[in-house]
Amino acid sequence: MAQRNAFTSRPSGAERQIDVRATARIEYNDNVVVNDPRISQGSSTDDLIGSPSLDLNVVLPRATGTTYLAGSIGYQFYNKFTSLNRENISLTGGADQRLASCLVHGEVGYQRRISDLSSLYVLDAANSFNNTEESRRYSADIGCGGPYGLRPAVAYSRTEVRNSLAVREYADSNTDTVTAQIGLQSPSLGTISLFGRYSDSVYINRRPVVGSAGRDGLKSYAVGLQLERSVSSRLNLRSSVNYSKVDPKLPGTNSFSGIGFDLSALYNADLFTVRLTGSRAPQPSVIYFTSYEILTALSGTISHDLSSRTSVSLTASRTWREYAASSLYPDAPNSGNDNMLSIGANATYNATRRLRFVLGAGYDERTSNIRLFKYHAKRINLTTSLAL
């Protein structure tokens, strides 16, 4: 699901970190082509994938701020389906700068990889799976205030998506988002914030169609409340709920209004750690001439340290996507959805301070009521990393 992965998050913590690792991963997947006959060409659907990479996690504190870089630079080699061989890059870099009682933050994110094969529609061109997707994100924000009292903030971000093949340019998009927020810091409650968000997305290479003078895209609005709170060293919670509205740009496209949310919770118990995340929000879509999708995602991870060197973890995630397209595109899914389930388990062994091994296994399943390929896949992998 490389296409749908979020940009790499900034490293956690403000202490100095320089973690550079040479990583090698080998994986067997019994359905790398996600049941798409245009890729398999009648052969079996399994393959062996080798993925060398250089992984970075760097934090450099300064007297008045922090500079950081995180992500990986790598390549994926397929043993049988060599046409899928592609670079796999995901990097995020940024800096914080304190100015009096305000903190200014800027960040750049970059991704380049083969597009998500599960996003291929049955009407896509036969060679669409050879597409490389490039994504760029630029963001800046400023927040002011002390440890108590009111804390106003404003943020801007721009995300650009580009595809290498002309037959996939219908998914090229630009999205600009502005968020304004005012929070109240309280020792007993944490930080409670009221926020408003406006987002404008346009598909830059979808030509105007008969019946409309504009390009396909959407405007979305959200207003809501956010809570950030830490309870001792056990629980760290960040959650928000909002009312969202989508205003499509092309006639013949169903609008949307409803509840959205964003949740991130980390609980540290004596014997295990639990992380929960969830979100529901509208966003541009890479599915064949789809105007937008409402993405709902839930995931959970539980991990346990067996010893000072060995740990195990279990992860489960589920996503639901609801699609909307203009009736001016008669072959696009005017409505419909798909659901994806992923379950995984990992065992990590730190042989030395520098050498680490991870053994993993997982299961993925996709169902859909539109013309997207349904599939299930089992995978097992071994990853070795060496700190440089």
Side-chain angles (χ1 to χ4, degrees), residues 279-329:
S279 63
R280 185 173 193 248
Q283 65 178 28
S285 178
V286 298
I287 303 296
Y288 186 87
F289 285 93
T290 299
S291 297
Y292 68 92
E293 61 189 35
I294 305 298
L295 171 64
T296 305
L298 298 173
S299 68
T301 300
I302 182 170
S303 56
H304 171 63
D305 292 334
L306 298 176
S307 69
S308 60
R309 292 189 175 186
T310 307
S311 62
V312 293
S313 64
L314 296 173
T315 300
S317 65
R318 186 72 180 264
T319 62
W320 297 263
R321 295 176 186 268
E322 304 168 59
Y323 300 108
S326 173
S327 57
L328 299 176
Y329 298 120

Side-chain angles (χ1 to χ4, degrees), residues 193-266:
S193 305
L194 174 66
F195 69 90
R197 183 172 58 242
Y198 167 74
S199 184
D200 187 324
S201 301
V202 61
Y203 297 99
I204 60 174
N205 288 319
R206 295 188 189 180
R207 301 294 181 259
V209 294
V210 176
S212 175
R215 296 186 185 276
D216 197 5
L218 68 143
K219 294 181 179 180
S220 64
Y221 313 84
V223 60
L225 287 171
Q226 177 177 289
L227 171 66
E228 298 177 71
R229 188 181 183 190
S230 296
V231 181
S232 67
S233 60
R234 293 283 191 178
L235 176 64
N236 186 281
L237 174 67
R238 179 184 178 275
S239 62
S240 69
V241 62
N242 64 78
Y243 177 78
S244 298
K245 186 179 188 315
V246 176
D247 182 14
K249 294 185 176 182
L250 280 187
T253 310
N254 293 330
S255 60
F256 168 84
S257 60
I259 299 298
F261 63 89
D262 194 355
L263 167 68
S264 176
L266 178 63

